[in-house]
Amino acid sequence: MASSVSWGTALACVLTIAPALAQPAPPQKPLMAEDVFKNVQVLKGIPVNQFMDTMGFFAAALGLNCAGCHVAESLQNWDKFAADVPRKRMARVMIQMVNNINKTNFGGRRALTCYSCHRGGQVPDVIPSLAEQYTIPPEDANKIEIVPDGPTDPSADQILDKYIQALGGAQKLAGLTSFAAKGTVEGYDTYHVKVPLELYAKAPRQRMMIYHTQNGDSTTTFDGRSGWIAAFDKPVRLLPLLPGAELDGARLDADLCFPAGIKQALNQWRVGFPITTIEDHAVNVVQGMGAGGTRVKLYFDVESGLLTRQVRYADTPVGMVPTQIDYSDYREVASVKMAFHVVVTWTDGQSMIQLSEVQPNVAIDAAKFAQPAPAVVKR
């Protein structure tokens, strides 16, 4: 099941949206999993968006896709996901087992998840691997965390200042107040075929992205306070982005489109990560926290100072799920460097975005960033 949240908030300067600050609307009560899906027994009481992320966690832990745990017909009919199969029944048992282990042995702290044992395999290994024992595995930059006595030079301020300068400097960044972009996106919900994409962004914090697939359009909007996703391939054709990881992600992606104020985009900035690399390029890692408590790591190329990667984390009842966004192909637009190639990877898939043209400082109707109409499936 492709994660709606991941699509809507993950595309950094290419996938989200944000508007001028408006009066907050009354909070919408989120749809719960059991309101939308049938035969939900253990994972009741969580929003649909979080339920989908939980499915993504299972996919990552077991190395399976939707049809690995559900009947094949579910790929054409959402109701078929309710069918019971042995693997789904076992999953319910495993959820309760892991919860009991954490409660009994770790005071309820989430010290163990299904990923702890499965590690991307359907059956946990019980025999040590000599190959793993005597081979140095490739380093995963996403796993790097702050360590005691980790390097504090350069500081977070210095790294972010270098980033602003690498993009063109604060004065030039301030001169970019909106843009309209076109390009393509290719991924899970496009059947890995490139389809047209449009992105609109306006400072402060207004962003909207729409892409046109074979089966319908997917739209994500963020108006600075609230956000929505209207997608043809989701169980609900229009869903609000929820407080926490979803809105934090949308807000950050909007800020990264106009990054002169990046220092205010997150709080509790920290450094202290060991030296690591991405694609053989040394990177400086900075951690910050979103307004809703979302932890974010930003990776900046040591040499160029440009943002290379963003990783942020969303909580589910069974564990944290990461969203990774990689930025490359920086080009100048109105004397400001922008990433024209963005790859978004999450536990339900990967999407590759390539911008082909960007028109700076254009007039954009505020309606672009408002709540979209529910998605319509092409028949």
Side-chain angles (χ1 to χ4, degrees), residues 44-311:
K44 292 181 178 180
I46 63 174
V48 171
N49 316 40
Q50 193 177 61
F51 184 86
M52 299 297 287
D53 275 348
T54 303
M55 298 300 105
F57 189 96
F58 292 148
L62 298 172
L64 296 172
N65 59 23
C66 302
C69 293
H70 300 274
V71 297
E73 293 80 6
S74 60
L75 297 180
Q76 284 77 43
N77 185 340
W78 280 97
D79 289 341
K80 296 295 183 180
F81 279 106
D84 259 332
V85 294
R87 185 167 283 161
K88 190 201 289 189
R89 290 193 288 270
M90 179 56 69
R92 296 187 184 115
V93 174
M94 292 293 100
I95 293 171
Q96 294 171 328
M97 180 193 75
V98 171
N99 288 343
N100 288 335
I101 291 174
N102 285 328
K103 181 178 180 180
T104 302
N105 299 280
F106 302 103
R109 178 174 62 89
R110 186 189 290 147
L112 185 74
T113 71
C114 28
Y115 188 81
S116 303
C117 297
H118 282 273
R119 297 284 186 173
Q122 297 178 39
V123 179
D125 289 333
V126 295
I127 300 174
S129 167
L130 297 178
E132 291 180 2
Q133 184 177 357
Y134 292 99
T135 302
I136 299 176
E139 184 175 80
D140 182 353
N142 291 5
K143 292 186 176 181
I144 298 297
E145 297 293 351
I146 294 172
V147 296
D149 301 320
T152 58
D153 185 26
S155 67
D157 273 345
Q158 289 172 323
I159 294 171
L160 297 175
D161 284 339
K162 185 175 180 178
Y163 172 55
I164 291 172
Q165 282 302 119
L167 292 175
Q171 185 174 357
K172 291 181 180 178
L173 289 176
L176 180 66
T177 58
S178 69
F179 65 82
K182 292 183 180 180
T184 61
V185 60
E186 172 186 357
Y188 177 91
D189 48 0
T190 73
Y191 302 101
H192 300 287
V193 173
K194 292 180 180 179
V195 301
L197 169 146
E198 301 165 41
L199 170 68
Y200 302 89
K202 184 179 179 181
R205 290 184 177 161
Q206 301 178 75
R207 295 184 51 172
M208 177 268 200
M209 197 245 357
I210 182 171
Y211 56 98
H212 312 282
T213 79
Q214 307 90 328
N215 293 331
D217 293 345
S218 286
T219 306
T220 308
T221 64
F222 181 67
D223 67 6
R225 291 183 181 273
S226 303
W228 302 267
I229 179 165
F232 72 93
D233 64 334
K234 304 301 182 275
V236 180
R237 303 301 187 211
L238 175 65
L239 281 171
L241 301 183
L242 299 179
E246 294 182 14
L247 284 177
D248 279 354
R251 187 179 298 112
L252 177 59
D253 289 343
D255 284 331
L256 288 176
C257 276
F258 306 99
I262 187 172
K263 292 183 181 181
Q264 290 73 48
L266 300 172
N267 56 69
Q268 301 179 43
W269 291 105
R270 297 180 65 192
V271 292
F273 292 85
I275 296 174
T276 189
T277 61
I278 295 177
E279 300 291 335
D280 295 324
H281 288 266
V283 292
N284 287 317
V285 187
V286 182
Q287 177 176 294
M289 300 293 290
T294 303
R295 188 166 72 99
V296 180
K297 291 189 289 189
L298 300 178
Y299 299 73
F300 298 90
D301 186 278
V302 169
E303 183 176 348
S304 70
L306 294 172
L307 180 63
T308 299
R309 176 177 294 177
Q310 172 197 160
V311 178

